[in-house]
Amino acid sequence: MQTFDFDLFVIGGGSGGVRAARMAAQRGARVALAEVAAMGGTCVNVGCIPKKLYSYAAHYAESFQESHGFGWVGEAPVFNWDVLKTNRTREISRLNGIYNQLLVNAGVTIITGWATLVDGHNVKVEDKTFSAEHILISTGGTPTVPALTGREYIVTSDQMFDLKPFPERLLVVGGGYIACEFASIFNGLGAQVTQIHRGEKLLTGFDNDVRSFIAAEMEKTGVSLRFGSEVETITKTAAGLQVALKGVAAPVTVDTVLYATGRVPNTNGLGLEAAGVKLNSKGAIEVNSHYQSSLPSVYALGDVTARLQLTPVALGEAMVVVDHLFGAAAGKKPRSMSYEFVPTAVFTHPNIGTVGYSEEEARKVFGKVTVYRTDFKPLRHTLSGNTERTLMKLLVDDATDRVVGLHMVGPDAGEVVQGFAVAMKAGATKAVFDSTIGIHPTLAEEFVTMREPVALVASN
């Protein structure tokens, strides 16, 4: 019988990899985890956590302004970019330490260095080779930028948290959630922000009402949106970075150009294809329902498989892998993963929260769908002077009365939608929503008080 150094060797110390390593070790498996950078992956270091902290920081500017309507007088404090960066660094370092300690306490062997796959049972880290019965790839995704003249002047989301100096003029390229979030954040922090997108609307894949509504709200806050635009060249001049746009005579001059046009699976340099792991046309690892690759002993999860690029999804997938390889926890059934009714948030200003189907998707899947929608000025802004409005929308499958889509653009939308996601996962109907007593006065109560449908649509 062949013996191995480890039962499971995890490549990548992001949220999914750490969860899988820790849980497997707690089941009694001998586990190693290799990571070349700070523990915690994109989410902890250059993604969800620092982004949300900077979003909080950006909201203070409008809060100070709004406070005058509630009787607070005097000048607002002055923003200090360096203080924010320093405080963020301290918090992220604390989280890195927690991730390391979780692994150590579980008995996971941490190996520092770049790992490559030798074959289905061997991993090389620097100059050492380790054997394992099972190998898990959880190396996440990485930003990508196009090959264009001036490419060397481009920054990606990974660099945005430590820019020096603060960009007074920022060009954001892209229309996805990362682009929209950074446009909102830096606009809120005081930058003059221009966001360009080659499409006609932001946030492809989201409900069309949400896409139109957030664009209008972002423009009201001061973000300059240009649709149908693409960068041709970037030139460094004494006045700043001169960005020529295709088909536009006048260039845009800025201090920083952020490309947020998407992330690709982080599979380069891992030796995957040479070892026999099949990748799809986008460079993502192809896996089955157990997250097993074409090489039976090698598994993969999270952004490296390019399914849903969300940290909680990677955590859920990690538990499926652990239960499959080492058995479910005592008294529990093996985990499975569903990609239906996965809630998500976009930390634009205002926030977006969504769960379930867009109206366009719901028409195709369910046929007849009843739409409930409202937009209004929140109570807070009756005194604040802010013109921001809130959008709420429900989609109901006529055949079952089940609520199959719920969308919100407004303050703390993610916090609101998380609770409703539980109800929708459980199959809540519109009748259940209608019979639920709202908490007054709150924004969230609107979801249980919408009675009049605004549209009845059917698929073709």
Side-chain angles (χ1 to χ4, degrees), residues 33-63:
L33 183 148
E35 174 56 65
V36 71
M39 204 66 73
T42 296
C43 180
V44 168
N45 294 289
V46 290
C48 321
I49 301 301
K51 176 185 66 182
K52 187 70 180 289
L53 292 174
Y54 279 28
S55 180
Y56 284 137
H59 274 296
Y60 277 104
E62 62 189 31
S63 295

Side-chain angles (χ1 to χ4, degrees), residues 348-403:
T348 44
H349 295 189
N351 292 176
I352 299 170
T354 182
V355 58
Y357 295 83
S358 69
E359 182 177 341
E360 298 70 39
E361 292 170 333
R363 292 182 184 187
K364 295 176 182 178
V365 173
F366 300 102
K368 288 187 176 181
V369 176
T370 300
V371 180
Y372 298 82
R373 180 176 60 241
T374 182
D375 79 84
F376 55 92
K377 177 187 285 188
L379 176 63
R380 172 180 174 176
H381 295 324
T382 59
L383 297 186
S384 73
N386 194 327
T387 61
E388 179 182 290
R389 296 183 68 80
T390 290
L391 170 72
M392 290 180 159
K393 183 173 182 178
L394 290 176
L395 302 166
V396 180
D397 172 23
D398 282 10
T400 62
D401 195 44
R402 184 178 182 182
V403 178

Side-chain angles (χ1 to χ4, degrees), residues 217-232:
E217 291 299 311
M218 287 175 65
E219 286 189 308
K220 285 197 311 193
T221 67
V223 176
S224 176
L225 294 175
R226 297 190 183 186
F227 296 104
S229 295
E230 292 186 64
V231 173
E232 191 166 50

Side-chain angles (χ1 to χ4, degrees), residues 80-119:
N80 189 309
W81 173 239
D82 289 333
V83 170
L84 175 60
K85 291 193 295 182
T86 298
N87 291 344
R88 181 215 84 240
T89 299
R90 183 174 61 247
E91 172 59 14
I92 300 307
S93 295
R94 185 185 72 85
L95 294 176
N96 295 149
I98 289 175
Y99 269 69
N100 272 287
Q101 199 57 48
L102 286 171
L103 293 170
V104 170
N105 291 347
V108 176
T109 300
I110 299 174
I111 301 170
T112 302
W114 184 267
T116 56
L117 206 62
V118 177
D119 54 38

